[in-house]
Amino acid sequence: MTEEIISATNLISLLIEAQGDALRAIKAGGKSPEEFRVQLLGAKSEITRLTKQIGLIPKEDRHKIGPVVTEVKHSIESALSQIEESAISTPSTFVDVTAPGIRPPEGHLHIVTQAIMEVTRIFERIGFTRVRHPEVDWDWYPFESLNMPKNHPARDEWETFFINYPGKPGTNPKKQKIVLTPHTSNGQVREMEKGKLPIRMINIAKCYRRQIDVSHTPMFHQFEGLYIDKDVSIGHLKGVFDYFVKQFFGANRETRLRPFHFQFTEPSFEVDINCGICLGTGLLPDKTPCKLCKAGWLELGGSGMVHPVVLRNGGIDPDTYSGFAFGWGIERTYMMKSGTKLDDIRLLYSNDIRFLEQF
Ligand code: PHE
Protein backbone atom coordinates (compact mmCIF):
# COMPACT_ATOMS: atom_id res chain seq x y z
CA MET A 1 0.00 0.00 0.00
CA THR A 2 1.41 3.41 -0.90
CA GLU A 3 0.71 6.19 1.57
CA GLU A 4 0.35 9.68 0.17
CA ILE A 5 2.61 12.38 1.50
CA ILE A 6 0.73 15.05 3.55
CA SER A 7 1.97 18.49 4.50
CA ALA A 8 2.80 19.57 8.06
CA THR A 9 0.24 22.40 7.87
CA ASN A 10 -2.42 19.94 6.91
CA LEU A 11 -1.65 17.59 9.82
CA ILE A 12 -1.54 20.49 12.26
CA SER A 13 -4.96 21.72 11.21
CA LEU A 14 -6.39 18.17 11.50
CA LEU A 15 -4.94 17.92 15.04
CA ILE A 16 -6.45 21.27 16.02
CA GLU A 17 -9.80 20.22 14.62
CA ALA A 18 -9.66 16.98 16.67
CA GLN A 19 -8.75 19.03 19.73
CA GLY A 20 -11.86 21.23 19.21
CA ASP A 21 -14.08 18.12 18.86
CA ALA A 22 -12.60 16.60 21.98
CA LEU A 23 -13.07 19.71 24.13
CA ARG A 24 -16.67 20.08 22.93
CA ALA A 25 -17.37 16.42 23.78
CA ILE A 26 -15.98 16.90 27.28
CA LYS A 27 -18.11 20.00 27.75
CA ALA A 28 -21.23 18.12 26.65
CA GLY A 29 -20.51 15.53 29.36
CA GLY A 30 -22.29 12.19 29.72
CA LYS A 31 -19.19 10.13 30.46
CA SER A 32 -16.75 9.79 33.32
CA PRO A 33 -13.32 11.46 32.97
CA GLU A 34 -11.80 8.00 32.72
CA GLU A 35 -14.07 7.00 29.84
CA PHE A 36 -13.28 10.29 28.06
CA ARG A 37 -9.58 9.70 28.56
CA VAL A 38 -9.81 6.35 26.76
CA GLN A 39 -12.04 7.70 24.00
CA LEU A 40 -10.10 10.92 23.31
CA LEU A 41 -6.49 10.04 24.09
CA GLY A 42 -6.47 6.23 24.00
CA ALA A 43 -4.89 3.95 21.42
CA LYS A 44 -7.93 4.10 19.16
CA SER A 45 -8.59 7.85 19.45
CA GLU A 46 -8.53 10.28 16.54
CA ILE A 47 -5.62 12.14 18.09
CA THR A 48 -3.50 8.97 18.37
CA ARG A 49 -4.38 8.10 14.78
CA LEU A 50 -3.27 11.56 13.57
CA THR A 51 -0.10 11.47 15.67
CA LYS A 52 0.94 8.31 13.86
CA GLN A 53 0.76 10.10 10.52
CA ILE A 54 3.83 12.10 11.46
CA GLY A 55 5.74 9.55 9.35
CA LEU A 56 3.89 10.75 6.22
CA ILE A 57 5.11 14.33 6.24
CA PRO A 58 8.42 15.47 4.76
CA LYS A 59 11.30 14.79 7.15
CA GLU A 60 12.43 18.41 7.45
CA ASP A 61 8.95 19.46 8.67
CA ARG A 62 8.39 16.77 11.29
CA HIS A 63 9.84 18.81 14.17
CA LYS A 64 6.88 21.19 13.88
CA ILE A 65 4.38 18.53 14.91
CA GLY A 66 5.71 17.54 18.40
CA PRO A 67 4.84 20.79 20.21
CA VAL A 68 1.35 20.80 18.66
CA VAL A 69 0.64 17.25 19.81
CA THR A 70 1.86 18.13 23.32
CA GLU A 71 -0.34 21.21 23.46
CA VAL A 72 -3.44 19.33 22.17
CA LYS A 73 -3.05 16.50 24.70
CA HIS A 74 -2.34 18.92 27.52
CA SER A 75 -5.52 20.95 26.87
CA ILE A 76 -7.65 17.78 26.89
CA GLU A 77 -5.95 16.46 30.01
CA SER A 78 -6.51 19.71 31.90
CA ALA A 79 -10.18 19.85 30.87
CA LEU A 80 -10.58 16.34 32.30
CA SER A 81 -8.79 17.09 35.56
CA GLN A 82 -11.02 20.14 36.04
CA ILE A 83 -14.06 17.84 36.00
CA GLU A 84 -12.37 15.48 38.46
CA GLU A 85 -11.55 18.29 40.85
CA SER A 86 -15.03 19.75 40.82
CA ALA A 87 -16.45 16.27 41.51
CA ILE A 88 -14.35 16.12 44.68
CA SER A 89 -15.25 19.60 45.90
CA THR A 90 -19.01 19.21 45.35
CA PRO A 91 -19.87 15.89 46.91
CA SER A 92 -22.87 14.22 45.44
CA THR A 93 -25.99 14.29 47.56
CA PHE A 94 -26.65 10.64 46.78
CA VAL A 95 -26.05 8.37 49.76
CA ASP A 96 -25.75 4.68 49.07
CA VAL A 97 -27.30 3.22 52.20
CA THR A 98 -26.41 -0.29 51.10
CA ALA A 99 -22.66 0.41 50.92
CA PRO A 100 -20.66 -1.41 53.60
CA GLY A 101 -19.80 0.85 56.53
CA ILE A 102 -16.35 1.92 57.64
CA ARG A 103 -15.36 0.08 60.79
CA PRO A 104 -13.78 2.20 63.52
CA PRO A 105 -10.55 0.64 64.80
CA GLU A 106 -11.36 -1.81 67.58
CA GLY A 107 -9.10 -2.71 70.49
CA HIS A 108 -9.05 -5.95 72.48
CA LEU A 109 -8.22 -7.09 75.97
CA HIS A 110 -4.55 -7.50 76.80
CA ILE A 111 -3.34 -11.09 76.40
CA VAL A 112 -2.63 -11.36 80.12
CA THR A 113 -6.24 -10.34 80.85
CA GLN A 114 -7.47 -12.89 78.29
CA ALA A 115 -5.38 -15.59 79.98
CA ILE A 116 -6.70 -14.64 83.45
CA MET A 117 -10.27 -14.93 82.17
CA GLU A 118 -9.63 -18.31 80.58
CA VAL A 119 -7.92 -19.77 83.66
CA THR A 120 -10.80 -18.52 85.84
CA ARG A 121 -13.41 -20.11 83.55
CA ILE A 122 -11.64 -23.49 83.56
CA PHE A 123 -11.47 -23.69 87.36
CA GLU A 124 -15.00 -22.37 87.80
CA ARG A 125 -16.29 -25.40 85.89
CA ILE A 126 -15.01 -27.71 88.65
CA GLY A 127 -16.34 -25.59 91.50
CA PHE A 128 -13.48 -23.21 92.24
CA THR A 129 -14.36 -19.57 92.92
CA ARG A 130 -12.11 -16.71 91.95
CA VAL A 131 -11.25 -14.57 94.95
CA ARG A 132 -9.09 -11.49 95.45
CA HIS A 133 -6.59 -11.01 98.26
CA PRO A 134 -4.29 -8.04 98.89
CA GLU A 135 -1.34 -7.46 96.58
CA VAL A 136 0.26 -5.28 99.25
CA ASP A 137 0.15 -7.22 102.48
CA TRP A 138 1.54 -7.77 105.97
CA ASP A 139 4.56 -10.03 105.61
CA TRP A 140 2.88 -12.47 107.99
CA TYR A 141 0.62 -13.71 105.16
CA PRO A 142 3.19 -14.48 102.43
CA PHE A 143 5.85 -15.62 104.92
CA GLU A 144 5.32 -16.35 108.66
CA SER A 145 1.85 -17.82 108.24
CA LEU A 146 3.36 -20.11 105.59
CA ASN A 147 5.88 -21.60 107.97
CA MET A 148 8.70 -19.19 107.06
CA PRO A 149 9.74 -17.39 110.23
CA LYS A 150 11.62 -14.12 110.07
CA ASN A 151 15.18 -14.54 108.79
CA HIS A 152 14.44 -18.05 107.50
CA PRO A 153 16.71 -18.74 104.50
CA ALA A 154 13.78 -20.05 102.43
CA ARG A 155 12.59 -16.45 102.14
CA ASP A 156 15.53 -15.70 99.85
CA GLU A 157 13.67 -17.49 97.06
CA TRP A 158 11.23 -14.61 96.93
CA GLU A 159 13.17 -11.46 96.17
CA THR A 160 10.81 -9.27 98.10
CA PHE A 161 10.07 -5.56 97.90
CA PHE A 162 9.40 -4.09 101.33
CA ILE A 163 7.34 -0.99 101.95
CA ASN A 164 9.02 1.55 104.16
CA TYR A 165 6.68 1.23 107.13
CA PRO A 166 8.19 1.29 110.62
CA GLY A 167 5.53 -0.97 112.25
CA LYS A 168 4.37 -0.67 115.81
CA PRO A 169 6.59 -2.89 117.97
CA GLY A 170 4.69 -4.54 120.78
CA THR A 171 1.37 -4.46 119.01
CA ASN A 172 -0.08 -7.22 116.81
CA PRO A 173 2.83 -9.51 115.76
CA LYS A 174 1.06 -10.19 112.45
CA LYS A 175 1.18 -6.52 111.55
CA GLN A 176 4.83 -5.59 111.57
CA LYS A 177 6.12 -5.22 108.03
CA ILE A 178 4.40 -4.54 104.73
CA VAL A 179 5.51 -6.14 101.46
CA LEU A 180 4.47 -6.19 97.83
CA THR A 181 3.31 -9.82 97.72
CA PRO A 182 6.01 -11.92 96.01
CA HIS A 183 3.52 -14.78 95.42
CA THR A 184 -0.22 -15.37 95.61
CA SER A 185 0.25 -17.84 98.47
CA ASN A 186 -0.51 -14.96 100.88
CA GLY A 187 -4.12 -15.74 99.94
CA GLN A 188 -4.00 -19.20 101.56
CA VAL A 189 -4.29 -18.23 105.22
CA ARG A 190 -6.38 -15.18 104.34
CA GLU A 191 -8.90 -17.49 102.68
CA MET A 192 -8.88 -19.87 105.66
CA GLU A 193 -9.55 -16.91 107.97
CA LYS A 194 -12.92 -16.42 106.29
CA GLY A 195 -13.93 -19.47 108.34
CA LYS A 196 -15.89 -21.29 105.62
CA LEU A 197 -15.17 -24.89 104.63
CA PRO A 198 -14.69 -26.56 102.24
CA ILE A 199 -12.40 -24.11 100.40
CA ARG A 200 -12.07 -24.14 96.62
CA MET A 201 -10.41 -20.87 95.72
CA ILE A 202 -8.53 -19.57 92.75
CA ASN A 203 -6.68 -16.40 93.69
CA ILE A 204 -5.27 -14.47 90.72
CA ALA A 205 -3.21 -11.42 91.52
CA LYS A 206 -0.17 -9.35 90.71
CA CYS A 207 3.08 -10.44 92.31
CA TYR A 208 6.31 -8.50 92.68
CA ARG A 209 9.90 -9.67 92.83
CA ARG A 210 13.14 -7.81 92.46
CA GLN A 211 14.09 -9.45 89.17
CA ILE A 212 14.24 -8.24 85.61
CA ASP A 213 15.63 -10.10 82.60
CA VAL A 214 14.35 -11.90 79.51
CA SER A 215 12.28 -14.31 81.58
CA HIS A 216 11.31 -12.08 84.54
CA THR A 217 9.45 -8.82 85.01
CA PRO A 218 9.34 -7.16 88.46
CA MET A 219 5.53 -7.33 88.27
CA PHE A 220 3.81 -10.48 87.02
CA HIS A 221 0.70 -12.54 87.77
CA GLN A 222 0.15 -15.84 89.52
CA PHE A 223 -2.90 -18.01 89.96
CA GLU A 224 -3.11 -19.82 93.26
CA GLY A 225 -5.40 -22.75 93.79
CA LEU A 226 -6.37 -23.95 97.25
CA TYR A 227 -8.62 -26.90 97.94
CA ILE A 228 -9.37 -27.88 101.55
CA ASP A 229 -11.87 -30.47 102.66
CA LYS A 230 -12.01 -33.78 104.50
CA ASP A 231 -9.97 -36.59 102.89
CA VAL A 232 -8.27 -34.58 100.16
CA SER A 233 -5.40 -36.59 98.71
CA ILE A 234 -2.56 -36.26 96.21
CA GLY A 235 -4.86 -38.11 93.79
CA HIS A 236 -7.20 -35.10 93.79
CA LEU A 237 -4.30 -32.77 93.20
CA LYS A 238 -3.08 -34.78 90.22
CA GLY A 239 -6.62 -35.08 88.83
CA VAL A 240 -7.17 -31.30 88.98
CA PHE A 241 -3.83 -30.63 87.24
CA ASP A 242 -4.55 -33.11 84.45
CA TYR A 243 -8.01 -31.60 83.98
CA PHE A 244 -6.53 -28.10 83.80
CA VAL A 245 -3.82 -28.87 81.26
CA LYS A 246 -6.22 -30.75 79.00
CA GLN A 247 -8.62 -27.82 79.04
CA PHE A 248 -6.00 -25.11 78.69
CA PHE A 249 -3.39 -26.75 76.45
CA GLY A 250 -5.19 -29.60 74.68
CA ALA A 251 -6.47 -33.16 75.15
CA ASN A 252 -3.10 -34.82 74.56
CA ARG A 253 -1.33 -33.03 77.42
CA GLU A 254 -0.51 -34.55 80.82
CA THR A 255 1.24 -33.56 84.02
CA ARG A 256 4.00 -35.13 86.04
CA LEU A 257 4.89 -34.43 89.69
CA ARG A 258 8.53 -33.97 90.64
CA PRO A 259 9.52 -33.97 94.34
CA PHE A 260 10.47 -30.51 95.59
CA HIS A 261 10.55 -28.45 98.75
CA PHE A 262 8.37 -25.61 99.98
CA GLN A 263 8.05 -24.62 103.63
CA PHE A 264 4.26 -24.48 103.35
CA THR A 265 3.48 -27.78 101.66
CA GLU A 266 4.36 -31.36 102.59
CA PRO A 267 4.97 -33.21 100.38
CA SER A 268 5.85 -30.57 97.77
CA PHE A 269 6.07 -30.94 94.03
CA GLU A 270 7.09 -29.13 90.94
CA VAL A 271 4.47 -29.73 88.27
CA ASP A 272 5.70 -30.45 84.75
CA ILE A 273 3.64 -30.71 81.59
CA ASN A 274 4.56 -32.94 78.67
CA CYS A 275 5.94 -30.93 75.77
CA GLY A 276 3.38 -30.02 73.12
CA ILE A 277 5.85 -30.71 70.31
CA CYS A 278 7.32 -34.12 71.23
CA LEU A 279 4.61 -35.15 73.76
CA GLY A 280 7.05 -36.12 76.49
CA THR A 281 9.38 -38.29 74.46
CA GLY A 282 12.09 -35.67 74.04
CA LEU A 283 12.45 -36.83 70.45
CA LEU A 284 10.99 -35.59 67.19
CA PRO A 285 9.54 -38.13 64.69
CA ASP A 286 12.91 -38.20 62.90
CA LYS A 287 14.55 -39.22 66.23
CA THR A 288 16.40 -35.90 66.64
CA PRO A 289 16.15 -34.22 70.09
CA CYS A 290 13.16 -31.86 70.57
CA LYS A 291 14.38 -28.29 70.53
CA LEU A 292 11.60 -26.82 72.69
CA CYS A 293 11.76 -28.90 75.87
CA LYS A 294 15.13 -30.68 75.95
CA ALA A 295 13.87 -33.74 77.88
CA GLY A 296 10.18 -34.06 77.04
CA TRP A 297 8.75 -32.01 79.92
CA LEU A 298 8.30 -28.31 80.71
CA GLU A 299 7.99 -26.82 84.18
CA LEU A 300 4.61 -25.28 85.08
CA GLY A 301 5.06 -24.29 88.74
CA GLY A 302 4.92 -25.30 92.39
CA SER A 303 2.37 -27.29 94.38
CA GLY A 304 1.88 -29.60 97.32
CA MET A 305 -0.31 -30.79 100.17
CA VAL A 306 -0.96 -27.91 102.57
CA HIS A 307 1.36 -28.12 105.60
CA PRO A 308 -0.36 -28.76 108.98
CA VAL A 309 1.27 -25.62 110.41
CA VAL A 310 -0.36 -23.53 107.68
CA LEU A 311 -3.78 -25.10 108.33
CA ARG A 312 -3.41 -24.33 112.02
CA ASN A 313 -2.37 -20.74 111.25
CA GLY A 314 -5.62 -20.43 109.33
CA GLY A 315 -7.64 -21.86 112.23
CA ILE A 316 -8.25 -25.27 110.58
CA ASP A 317 -7.74 -28.58 112.39
CA PRO A 318 -5.17 -30.62 110.38
CA ASP A 319 -6.43 -33.84 111.95
CA THR A 320 -9.82 -33.39 110.31
CA TYR A 321 -9.02 -31.47 107.17
CA SER A 322 -6.39 -31.70 104.48
CA GLY A 323 -5.86 -29.97 101.17
CA PHE A 324 -3.60 -29.06 98.33
CA ALA A 325 -2.29 -25.80 96.91
CA PHE A 326 -0.54 -24.71 93.77
CA GLY A 327 0.80 -21.43 92.44
CA TRP A 328 1.72 -20.90 88.80
CA GLY A 329 2.63 -17.85 86.72
CA ILE A 330 -0.02 -16.58 84.32
CA GLU A 331 2.48 -15.15 81.83
CA ARG A 332 4.63 -18.30 81.82
CA THR A 333 1.65 -20.60 81.46
CA TYR A 334 0.18 -18.51 78.65
CA MET A 335 3.47 -18.41 76.76
CA MET A 336 3.65 -22.19 76.88
CA LYS A 337 0.15 -22.48 75.46
CA SER A 338 0.28 -20.16 72.54
CA GLY A 339 3.42 -21.64 71.07
CA THR A 340 4.49 -18.03 70.66
CA LYS A 341 8.17 -18.34 71.10
CA LEU A 342 8.46 -15.10 73.02
CA ASP A 343 12.15 -14.70 73.56
CA ASP A 344 11.64 -11.78 75.98
CA ILE A 345 8.78 -11.78 78.52
CA ARG A 346 9.16 -7.99 78.96
CA LEU A 347 7.47 -7.55 75.57
CA LEU A 348 4.17 -8.28 77.33
CA TYR A 349 4.48 -5.03 79.23
CA SER A 350 6.24 -2.81 76.71
CA ASN A 351 2.90 -1.60 75.28
CA ASP A 352 4.09 -1.96 71.69
CA ILE A 353 0.93 -1.99 69.59
CA ARG A 354 2.65 -3.95 66.78
CA PHE A 355 3.22 -6.80 69.24
CA LEU A 356 -0.18 -6.65 70.98
CA GLU A 357 -2.17 -6.55 67.74
CA GLN A 358 -0.99 -10.07 66.91
CA PHE A 359 -3.20 -11.64 69.58
N1 PHE B 1 4.10 -19.81 95.97
C1 PHE B 1 5.00 -20.71 95.33
C2 PHE B 1 5.92 -19.90 94.38
O1 PHE B 1 5.69 -18.76 94.14
C3 PHE B 1 4.28 -21.77 94.53
C4 PHE B 1 3.43 -22.67 95.36
C5 PHE B 1 2.12 -22.37 95.64
C6 PHE B 1 3.98 -23.84 95.87
C7 PHE B 1 1.35 -23.23 96.40
C8 PHE B 1 3.22 -24.69 96.64
C9 PHE B 1 1.92 -24.39 96.89
O2 PHE B 1 6.91 -20.42 93.91
Side-chain angles (χ1 to χ4, degrees), residues 252-254 256 273-283 290 293-298:
N252 56 357
R253 307 301 285 278
E254 284 167 15
R256 155 180 105 166
I273 176 172
N274 60 344
C275 169
I277 308 289
C278 68
L279 294 176
T281 60
L283 292 175
C290 177
C293 65
K294 297 188 194 108
W297 297 83
L298 300 157

Side-chain angles (χ1 to χ4, degrees), residues 169-348:
T171 57
N172 190 342
K174 295 180 184 173
K175 298 191 173 177
Q176 295 293 313
K177 274 188 173 169
I178 296 179
V179 298
L180 302 185
T181 53
H183 56 172
T184 42
S185 299
N186 69 316
Q188 291 191 17
V189 167
R190 280 196 170 271
E191 189 67 19
M192 296 177 200
E193 284 177 347
K194 289 182 180 169
K196 277 195 212 134
L197 285 164
I199 290 172
R200 281 191 297 262
M201 81 155 193
I202 196 87
N203 170 33
I204 309 183
K206 293 186 187 72
C207 301
Y208 303 86
R209 293 188 199 177
R210 207 170 157 275
Q211 285 179 327
I212 184 158
D213 57 44
V214 290
S215 52
H216 297 92
T217 46
M219 186 282 302
F220 60 102
H221 296 76
Q222 279 190 340
F223 58 111
E224 180 98 4
L226 180 67
Y227 179 28
I228 294 175
D229 204 348
K230 290 179 178 151
D231 303 322
V232 177
S233 72
I234 296 177
H236 296 115
L237 163 149
K238 178 80 164 80
V240 166
F241 295 170
D242 281 337
Y243 159 80
F244 174 75
V245 300
K246 285 181 196 306
Q247 294 285 316
F248 193 78
F249 295 98
N252 56 357
R253 307 301 285 278
E254 284 167 15
T255 58
R256 155 180 105 166
L257 302 179
R258 220 167 2 94
F260 203 71
H261 173 79
F262 293 104
Q263 283 291 112
F264 39 98
T265 45
E266 182 58 38
S268 302
F269 310 103
E270 288 263 77
V271 185
D272 293 341
I273 176 172
N274 60 344
C275 169
I277 308 289
C278 68
L279 294 176
T281 60
L283 292 175
L284 297 176
D286 64 4
K287 302 287 178 239
T288 56
C290 177
K291 288 183 197 74
L292 181 66
C293 65
K294 297 188 194 108
W297 297 83
L298 300 157
E299 184 189 316
L300 263 182
S303 73
M305 301 305 288
V306 181
H307 197 289
V309 168
V310 179
L311 289 170
R312 249 181 251 121
N313 283 336
I316 294 173
D317 177 7
D319 293 327
T320 316
Y321 287 94
S322 53
F324 65 79
F326 56 93
W328 304 342
I330 286 274
E331 290 84 349
R332 245 189 86 79
T333 308
Y334 179 79
M335 280 160 61
M336 284 161 63
K337 169 195 179 99
S338 61
T340 17
K341 284 209 201 134
L342 263 193
D343 45 17
D344 190 339
I345 195 174
R346 293 171 293 193
L347 270 174
L348 286 170

Side-chain angles (χ1 to χ4, degrees), residues 30-44:
K31 284 183 183 165
S32 72
E34 214 25 67
E35 287 168 323
F36 273 131
R37 209 166 267 124
V38 174
Q39 180 199 331
L40 304 172
L41 298 171
K44 293 181 184 151

